[in-house]
Amino acid sequence: MSALESRFDETIAADQRIEPRDWMPEAYRKTLIRQIAQHAHSEIIGMQPEGNWILRAPSLRRKAILLAKVQDEAGHGMYLYAAAETLGVDRAELTEMLIEGRQRYSSIFNYPTLSYADIGVIGWLVDGAAICNQVPLCRCSYGPYARAMIRVCKEESFHQRQGFELLLAMVNGTAAQREMVQESTNRWWWPSLMMFGPPDGDSPNTQQSMKWNIKRHTNDELRQRFVDMTVPQAAALGITLPDPGLVWNDERKAHDYTEPDWSEFKAVLSGSGPCNAQRVEHRKRAHDRGAWVREAATAYAQKQAARRESAA
Ligand code: 3HC
């Protein structure tokens, strides 16, 4: 084993951070590019389902909150693309891979937002699941990713709280509003469980990612944490989670729950989810429409550089 490999292994074993200037195994770098790019793509694509309701928010206050949240997601995408670029890739290249279907984004964003209650349920369940998954990533061994996560998690907490508060207002409203929240929960519960990835036995990346301290917990461990966190929140809302198998197991000191339909998960990952084509088409259209901004910014930067050079 070379001195560089030993140093990398010692750093990981000492639970220290790997920084961009440090030597790292190519497989470690590739896994990070895959996961950070997927995370960044998810943040940007994730703006679509909620953005769909900005013009239809029921009050100026709700519109302002939703606008702030969607803007936050764009910022999360930028932090994460910046973290990925420290590994030697370029966000333009990553965006191309996303649009060509060569990189993934989270399955959760392939579901439609059919009612305004979805805005609250996404904040409550989807951002709640994101927090369960992202807090351990603040301790990821790769410095730039861990530091991006610290900032993201602070904003994610606001996202989850605003969603829960919106639902609290609705469940304390009319019977029709309560029914809207229940119907939305029934649609988003199972896709939220799928956000954590396949069962541990079907996860080809978890073991190695945990050896490298990229992942701190397995998919099933984080899914369980999310279920246990959400059950009392649903009770506080007076909402029933749509799983008859959900029951407290005193032996395990955790809730037993029914596994999601993994064939649906596989179908969504292979592109057959309700909104896959629409999400990627929208992303491509936005990217094409923004080409002139990128060209102008590049031309301006080149002009500034040439000016600095001639002044030197
Ligand atoms: N959606 C899409 N693909 C998924 C997935 C999901 N929910 N879960 C797993 N996969 C893919 C993996 O990418 C992998 O495919 P690949 O090898 O071709 O990339 C395959 O399914 C097997 O899964 P593994 O468990 O082996 O893969 P990972 O070790 O990468 O674990 C993960 C999957 C838990 C999603 C992990 O990648 C992760 O923690 N990523 C960072 C968090 C993230 O991306 N969150 C996405 C949501 S963004 C968000 O929540 C925004 C918020 O504002 C709402």
Side-chain angles (χ1 to χ4, degrees), residues 34-35 38-40 42-43 69 73 76 104-109 122 126-127 130 133-134 137 145 156 159 194-198 202-206 209 215 219 265 269:
R34 176 185 63 82
Q35 177 163 332
Q38 176 169 327
H39 201 159
S42 303
E43 301 282 1
K69 179 181 193 297
E73 309 299 8
H76 295 176
R104 299 185 189 285
Y105 58 93
S106 184
S107 50
I108 191 73
F109 297 122
I122 286 175
V126 176
D127 289 89
N133 165 285
Q134 291 171 165
L137 287 172
Y145 192 25
E156 219 60 87
H159 297 175
M194 295 175 198
M195 281 176 73
F196 294 92
D202 292 336
S203 165
N205 299 299
T206 292
S209 288
K215 275 176 144 176
N219 299 351
F265 175 72
L269 256 61

Side-chain angles (χ1 to χ4, degrees), residues 73-270:
E73 309 299 8
H76 295 176
M78 294 305 117
Y79 309 150
L80 288 161
Y81 283 128
E85 285 178 333
T86 65
L87 291 158
V89 289
D90 173 78
R91 67 187 69 190
E93 178 195 340
L94 297 176
T95 302
E96 211 175 286
M97 291 172 81
L98 166 70
I99 290 171
E100 290 168 4
R102 291 186 287 131
Q103 270 188 341
R104 299 185 189 285
Y105 58 93
S106 184
S107 50
I108 191 73
F109 297 122
N110 286 311
Y111 292 83
T113 44
L114 302 177
S115 83
Y116 182 67
D118 287 6
I119 298 305
V121 170
I122 286 175
W124 172 40
L125 294 183
V126 176
D127 289 89
I131 289 172
C132 281
N133 165 285
Q134 291 171 165
V135 166
L137 287 172
C138 297
R139 292 187 297 115
C140 166
S141 58
Y142 187 59
Y145 192 25
R147 290 187 287 273
M149 279 297 100
I150 292 167
R151 170 94 184 255
V152 165
C153 286
K154 287 193 174 92
E155 293 172 346
E156 219 60 87
S157 307
F158 149 69
H159 297 175
Q160 206 265 359
R161 293 306 302 153
Q162 65 81 33
F164 191 80
E165 190 260 345
L166 187 161
L167 297 179
L168 217 46
M170 289 189 77
V171 295
N172 288 307
T174 64
Q177 287 174 316
R178 273 191 295 280
E179 176 41 40
M180 202 189 267
V181 173
Q182 183 63 62
E183 188 276 331
S184 175
T185 304
N186 296 346
R187 275 187 288 114
W188 287 95
W189 173 247
W190 300 107
S192 298
L193 293 186
M194 295 175 198
M195 281 176 73
F196 294 92
D200 294 348
D202 292 336
S203 165
N205 299 299
T206 292
Q207 222 179 9
Q208 184 58 61
S209 288
M210 288 187 71
K211 277 193 193 130
W212 280 328
N213 292 342
I214 294 172
K215 275 176 144 176
R216 293 293 183 161
H217 301 280
T218 70
N219 299 351
D220 287 333
E221 285 168 356
L222 291 179
R223 201 178 346 263
Q224 181 69 65
R225 190 178 285 188
F226 171 68
V227 169
D228 292 338
M229 175 185 92
T230 307
V231 168
Q233 295 170 351
L237 290 170
I239 290 294
T240 307
L241 295 172
D243 176 3
L246 189 59
V247 64
W248 176 254
N249 181 322
D250 210 37
E251 238 173 76
R252 290 196 317 120
K253 295 289 180 244
H255 291 85
D256 293 341
Y257 61 92
T258 308
E259 286 289 313
D261 174 358
W262 294 114
S263 61
E264 176 183 324
F265 175 72
K266 287 190 180 116
V268 172
L269 256 61
S270 65

